[in-house]
Amino acid sequence: MDIPEREWGSTSDDQPYFFLSYAHTPPWGPGGGDPDHWVHVLFRDLCTHIMAITDLPAGSHPGFMDREMRPGDGWPQKLSENLASCRVFVPLFSSRYFTSEMCGRELFAFNERIRQAKDGGAPEALAIVPALWTRVDYARLPDSVRHIHLNESTFPDRYATDGIYGLIKLNRLRDEYEETVLRLAERIVRVAHETALPTGRPRDYESTPSAFRPRGAGPRQIRLTVAAPTRDSIPGHRDPGPYGEDARDWNPYHNETPRALAAIAGDVIRSLDYRVTVASLDDEDTGDEPPPGEEPGEERQEPRPNGPGILLVDRWVLTDEERRRRLKAFDSGARPWVGAVVPWNRADAQCHGDEGRRLTEELERTLPLLLDRGRRADARSAVNGVPTLKSFTEVLPGVVASTTRKYLKHAAAHPPPGPTVPRPRLVGPSQPPYQEGGTDRGGDA
């Protein structure tokens, strides 16, 4: 499944210009024909235009869509390879698109490739060119696609109201369809040349999460708390490279990326269709001190849960006595839907040896609840130490899913106002009383 290592991070002329991501329309009945026929027509027209306006040689593959695969091709592997190598991702927006698990996985995988390029120091490269297949309600777009710019100004007016499907189905709009597809092909080529997105490593399609929330789920939120020292609070012998003026500047993988860990984590979580709030442990109310107006020991009302949370903790924060105390209070008050991740860098010599072991032992004493919770929730690799940036971005989606499940399990339900309606129950058939001289159905003799 992996492409050769020498090609990772490179660009080449044999990369397909675009990956067409679309929601498969289910057949509605016998004799209904191919429900995705017109998507394939669009794909062929785009490929024809791209061959005409570029210098691709004969036999090239200008684009990729899943129905172009031959029988016997391993489709998960083929999808992953083309997502890792295409120059531009073209999602066909429709109402069905945002409920498709397959489309959500494709978008997540491509967003991950963009993020990895950015984490490696490459300039911002949003190589996504959306197209309207049908009209969509922009107000109801998932959070994970709100960063994607929908520029309709270069297309005919009917494109925004009818989408490509409407243009292609109505003969009187044939000219608008031809212009729309040509402009879309030109945009794909322009974005491909402007971004020059490097190839990535194909990821396992089956384990790729979806970028869209489940059908019927409301907005999802994650609170991300960073527990790390700042550059002016680390011990004198500690390398200041991973630290900044604020805990949220912490970057344990600074030899791999110039970006702060909180920014990387935020991108990963947002790509899973969550809204993210990032805070520092220094700013958190850990519950160890009463708020103004309350006396010590006074019983406090439990706040209503407001979403799952994840703690990113640097073991070096434990060298600061005040932060160690706050961290211990955070652990003792952590609700079941709060998880932890312990990033470290295996290339950081100061994280090894006797000092590294002492910090690990202190972490076990300071966060017994969160560490034990992670090990029992199949998040052992997250709490036992995440040694590379790649492993961090692979572990984090699992922790997000785990904390969300726990939140949904433990959070209080809020039924709509009004009288409580008993749940309906099925009962067995009743037999009418036997009447002498009558039938067993109670009818006339």
Side-chain angles (χ1 to χ4, degrees):
M1 177 170 166
D2 289 348
I3 57 178
E5 186 170 359
R6 62 184 173 83
E7 296 182 10
W8 296 345
S10 65
T11 56
S12 63
D13 292 338
D14 60 354
Q15 294 175 248
Y17 264 92
F18 70 99
F19 182 109
L20 188 64
S21 174
Y22 67 102
H24 290 249
T25 302
W28 57 268
D34 179 5
D36 293 319
H37 165 75
W38 295 109
V39 177
H40 193 224
V41 170
L42 169 65
F43 174 78
R44 292 201 315 263
D45 290 344
L46 283 172
C47 289
T48 299
H49 286 314
I50 289 175
M51 287 296 293
I53 62 180
T54 65
D55 59 355
L56 286 175
S60 298
H61 297 283
F64 173 85
M65 73 176 293
D66 57 8
R67 68 181 292 158
E68 294 294 294
M69 293 186 289
R70 299 182 300 273
D73 286 344
W75 70 265
Q77 175 179 341
K78 200 73 173 177
L79 284 177
S80 296
E81 289 175 351
N82 279 275
L83 284 167
S85 62
C86 67
R87 307 186 198 195
V88 174
F89 184 79
V90 180
L92 281 186
F93 283 1
S94 65
S95 297
R96 192 181 300 277
Y97 189 86
F98 303 114
T99 62
S100 167
E101 178 79 11
M102 184 174 178
C103 296
R105 291 185 181 189
E106 292 167 356
L107 180 60
F108 179 89
F110 195 81
N111 269 330
E112 182 180 60
R113 181 176 158 201
I114 293 175
R115 191 193 66 251
Q116 288 173 346
K118 185 167 62 172
D119 294 346
E124 186 80 23
L126 188 59
I128 299 178
V129 176
L132 290 178
W133 182 241
T134 60
R135 186 174 183 176
V136 297
D137 183 354
Y138 296 138
R140 300 181 64 182
L141 289 179
D143 290 333
S144 54
V145 300
R146 290 187 179 277
H147 67 290
I148 301 174
H149 182 49
L150 279 166
N151 184 359
E152 302 169 356
S153 60
T154 59
F155 295 110
D157 293 339
R158 295 295 295 266
Y159 167 75
T161 58
D162 295 280
I164 294 175
Y165 179 75
L167 300 183
I168 202 173
K169 289 293 291 181
L170 297 175
N171 288 332
R172 60 187 173 83
L173 298 179
R174 185 68 189 181
D175 289 345
E176 284 87 345
Y177 169 75
E178 294 289 356
E179 182 181 354
T180 296
V181 178
L182 177 59
R183 298 290 174 259
L184 182 59
E186 291 172 340
R187 180 177 294 180
I188 290 170
V189 172
R190 183 174 66 253
V191 171
H193 293 166
E194 289 175 352
T195 59
L197 182 67
T199 57
R201 181 199 297 264
R203 63 169 297 146
D204 178 35
Y205 178 82
E206 298 296 342
S207 65
T208 301
S210 172
F212 306 137
R213 69 189 70 137
R215 185 191 297 270
R220 302 186 294 183
Q221 301 189 22
I222 287 278
R223 183 170 183 83
L224 198 64
T225 302
V226 183
T230 57
R231 185 167 293 175
D232 60 2
S233 64
I234 55 175
H237 65 286
R238 174 61 174 147
D239 175 18
Y243 305 102
E245 296 181 358
D246 188 275
R248 287 163 288 197
D249 299 328
W250 173 47
N251 178 12
Y253 309 116
H254 62 104
N255 61 319
E256 299 184 67
T257 176
R259 303 183 68 215
L261 189 66
I264 294 171
D267 285 350
V268 173
I269 296 171
R270 274 185 287 271
S271 71
L272 293 166
D273 205 9
Y274 284 79
R275 299 174 185 175
V276 187
T277 302
V278 181
S280 163
L281 177 71
D282 298 340
D283 302 325
E284 290 280 10
D285 176 12
T286 58
D288 55 338
E289 295 179 359
E294 286 189 13
E295 296 297 327
E298 182 178 341
E299 184 177 350
R300 298 173 61 183
Q301 183 177 0
E302 191 74 9
R304 180 172 295 178
N306 57 359
I310 298 176
L311 175 72
L312 303 180
V313 57
D314 176 19
R315 292 179 297 177
W316 285 88
V317 76
L318 301 168
T319 60
D320 182 287
E321 183 177 351
E322 172 60 20
R323 290 193 174 103
R324 186 169 66 248
R325 181 186 64 79
R326 292 182 62 82
L327 200 58
K328 194 171 185 65
F330 183 97
D331 179 79
S332 64
R335 295 174 177 82
W337 49 85
V338 176
V341 183
V342 185
W344 69 286
N345 190 336
R346 65 173 156 212
D348 187 342
Q350 290 184 316
C351 291
H352 299 279
D354 292 340
E355 187 155 29
R357 283 191 292 273
R358 285 196 297 271
L359 290 173
T360 299
E361 292 169 358
E362 186 63 43
L363 185 69
E364 295 286 342
R365 290 190 291 268
T366 306
L367 296 179
L369 177 63
L370 286 174
L371 298 183
D372 179 66
R373 183 182 296 166
R375 289 165 185 148
R376 288 188 286 109
D378 296 328
R380 183 177 297 273
S381 58
V383 296
N384 284 357
V386 185
T388 66
L389 177 60
K390 179 177 181 295
S391 55
F392 175 78
T393 57
E394 290 174 348
V395 161
L396 187 57
V399 179
V400 171
S402 175
T403 56
T404 300
R405 284 194 301 270
K406 291 180 180 177
Y407 173 70
L408 294 175
K409 178 180 178 181
H410 290 87
H414 301 285
T420 301
V421 178
R423 179 179 297 180
R425 298 174 58 192
L426 291 176
V427 297
S430 59
Q431 295 291 339
Y434 174 75
Q435 297 179 4
E436 186 175 356
T439 68
D440 59 353
R441 295 186 181 181
D444 295 332

